[in-house]
Coordinates of all heavy atoms in Angstrom, one line a residue:
A150 N -99.2 42.1 128.0 CA -100.3 42.6 128.8 C -101.7 42.1 128.2 O -102.6 41.8 129.0 CB -100.3 44.1 128.7
Q151 N -101.8 41.9 126.9 CA -103.0 41.3 126.3 C -103.2 39.9 126.8 O -104.3 39.5 127.2 CB -102.9 41.4 124.8 CG -103.0 42.8 124.2 CD -102.4 42.9 122.9 OE1 -102.0 41.9 122.3 NE2 -102.2 44.1 122.4
H152 N -102.1 39.1 126.9 CA -102.2 37.8 127.3 C -102.7 37.7 128.8 O -103.5 36.9 129.2 CB -100.8 37.1 127.2 CG -100.9 35.6 127.5 ND1 -100.5 35.1 128.8 CD2 -101.2 34.5 126.8 CE1 -100.6 33.8 128.8 NE2 -101.0 33.4 127.6
R153 N -102.1 38.6 129.6 CA -102.5 38.6 131.0 C -104.0 39.1 131.2 O -104.7 38.6 132.1 CB -101.6 39.5 131.8 CG -100.2 39.0 132.0 CD -99.3 39.8 132.9 NE -99.9 39.9 134.3 CZ -99.3 40.5 135.3 NH1 -98.2 41.3 135.1 NH2 -99.8 40.5 136.5
L154 N -104.4 40.0 130.4 CA -105.8 40.5 130.4 C -106.7 39.3 130.2 O -107.7 39.0 130.9 CB -106.0 41.5 129.3 CG -107.5 41.8 129.0 CD1 -108.2 42.5 130.1 CD2 -107.6 42.6 127.7
L155 N -106.4 38.5 129.1 CA -107.2 37.3 128.8 C -107.2 36.3 129.9 O -108.3 35.8 130.3 CB -106.7 36.7 127.5 CG -106.8 37.6 126.2 CD1 -106.2 36.8 125.0 CD2 -108.3 37.9 125.9
T156 N -106.0 35.9 130.3 CA -105.9 34.7 131.2 C -106.2 35.0 132.7 O -106.8 34.2 133.4 CB -104.5 34.1 131.0 OG1 -103.5 35.0 131.3 CG2 -104.3 33.5 129.6
E157 N -105.7 36.2 133.1 CA -105.9 36.5 134.5 C -107.2 37.2 134.9 O -107.7 37.1 136.0 CB -104.7 37.4 135.0 CG -103.3 36.7 134.9 CD -102.2 37.6 135.3 OE1 -102.4 38.7 135.9 OE2 -101.0 37.3 134.9
H158 N -107.7 38.0 133.9 CA -108.8 38.9 134.2 C -110.1 38.3 133.6 O -111.2 38.3 134.2 CB -108.6 40.3 133.8 CG -109.6 41.3 134.2 ND1 -109.7 41.8 135.4 CD2 -110.7 41.8 133.5 CE1 -110.8 42.6 135.5 NE2 -111.4 42.6 134.3
L159 N -110.1 38.0 132.3 CA -111.3 37.5 131.6 C -111.5 36.0 131.6 O -112.6 35.6 131.2 CB -111.2 38.0 130.1 CG -111.2 39.5 129.9 CD1 -111.1 39.9 128.5 CD2 -112.5 40.2 130.5
G160 N -110.5 35.3 132.1 CA -110.6 33.8 132.1 C -110.7 33.2 130.8 O -111.3 32.1 130.6
V161 N -110.0 33.8 129.8 CA -110.0 33.2 128.4 C -108.7 32.5 128.2 O -107.6 33.1 128.3 CB -110.2 34.4 127.4 CG1 -109.9 33.8 126.0 CG2 -111.5 35.0 127.5
N162 N -108.8 31.2 128.0 CA -107.6 30.4 127.8 C -107.3 30.0 126.4 O -106.4 29.2 126.1 CB -107.6 29.2 128.8 CG -108.9 28.4 128.6 OD1 -109.7 28.6 127.6 ND2 -109.2 27.5 129.5
H163 N -108.2 30.4 125.5 CA -108.0 30.1 124.1 C -108.8 31.1 123.2 O -109.8 31.5 123.7 CB -108.5 28.6 123.8 CG -108.2 28.2 122.4 ND1 -106.9 27.7 122.1 CD2 -108.9 28.1 121.3 CE1 -106.9 27.3 120.8 NE2 -108.1 27.6 120.3
L164 N -108.2 31.4 122.1 CA -108.9 32.3 121.1 C -109.2 31.5 119.8 O -108.4 30.8 119.3 CB -108.0 33.5 120.8 CG -107.8 34.5 122.0 CD1 -106.7 35.4 121.7 CD2 -109.1 35.3 122.3
R165 N -110.4 31.7 119.4 CA -110.8 31.2 118.1 C -110.0 31.9 117.0 O -109.6 31.4 116.0 CB -112.3 31.3 117.9 CG -112.8 30.8 116.5 CD -112.7 29.3 116.4 NE -113.4 28.8 115.3 CZ -113.2 27.6 114.8 NH1 -112.3 26.8 115.3 NH2 -113.9 27.1 113.8
L166 N -109.9 33.2 117.2 CA -109.3 34.1 116.1 C -108.7 35.3 116.8 O -109.2 35.9 117.7 CB -110.3 34.5 115.1 CG -109.9 35.4 114.0 CD1 -109.0 34.6 113.0 CD2 -111.1 36.0 113.2
I167 N -107.5 35.7 116.3 CA -106.9 37.0 116.6 C -106.9 37.8 115.3 O -106.3 37.3 114.3 CB -105.5 36.9 117.1 CG1 -105.5 36.2 118.5 CG2 -104.9 38.3 117.3 CD1 -104.1 36.0 119.1
M168 N -107.6 38.9 115.2 CA -107.5 39.8 114.1 C -106.7 41.1 114.6 O -106.7 41.4 115.7 CB -108.9 40.2 113.6 CG -109.7 39.1 113.0 SD -111.3 39.7 112.5 CE -110.8 40.8 111.1
G169 N -106.1 41.8 113.6 CA -105.4 43.0 114.0 C -105.2 43.9 112.8 O -105.1 43.4 111.6
T170 N -105.3 45.2 113.0 CA -105.1 46.2 111.9 C -103.9 47.0 112.2 O -103.7 47.6 113.3 CB -106.3 47.1 111.9 OG1 -106.5 47.8 113.1 CG2 -107.6 46.3 111.6
S171 N -103.0 47.1 111.2 CA -101.8 48.0 111.3 C -100.9 47.5 112.5 O -100.4 46.5 112.4 CB -102.2 49.5 111.4 OG -101.1 50.3 111.3
M172 N -100.8 48.3 113.5 CA -100.0 47.9 114.7 C -100.6 46.6 115.2 O -99.9 45.7 115.6 CB -100.1 49.0 115.8 CG -99.4 48.6 117.1 SD -99.5 49.8 118.4 CE -101.2 49.6 118.9
G173 N -101.9 46.5 115.2 CA -102.6 45.2 115.7 C -102.3 44.1 114.8 O -102.2 42.9 115.2
C174 N -102.1 44.3 113.5 CA -101.6 43.3 112.5 C -100.2 42.8 112.9 O -100.0 41.6 113.0 CB -101.6 43.9 111.1 SG -100.8 42.9 109.8
M175 N -99.4 43.7 113.2 CA -98.0 43.3 113.7 C -98.1 42.5 115.0 O -97.4 41.5 115.1 CB -97.1 44.5 113.8 CG -96.8 45.2 112.4 SD -95.7 46.6 112.5 CE -96.8 47.9 112.9

């Protein structure tokens, strides 16, 4: 769902960085 949010809705085709905490880390 996060990938679809980026590519289909926000028009983001690349990320400089993915950070995550706890569940987001996983």
Side-chain angles (χ1 to χ4, degrees):
Q151 292 157 6
H152 185 264
R153 290 187 62 180
L154 164 69
L155 295 175
T156 58
E157 297 177 16
H158 186 80
L159 295 177
V161 172
N162 52 14
H163 188 80
L164 290 166
R165 180 66 168 164
L166 179 70
I167 297 178
M168 292 181 67
T170 61
S171 191
M172 178 182 74
C174 172
M175 293 185 274

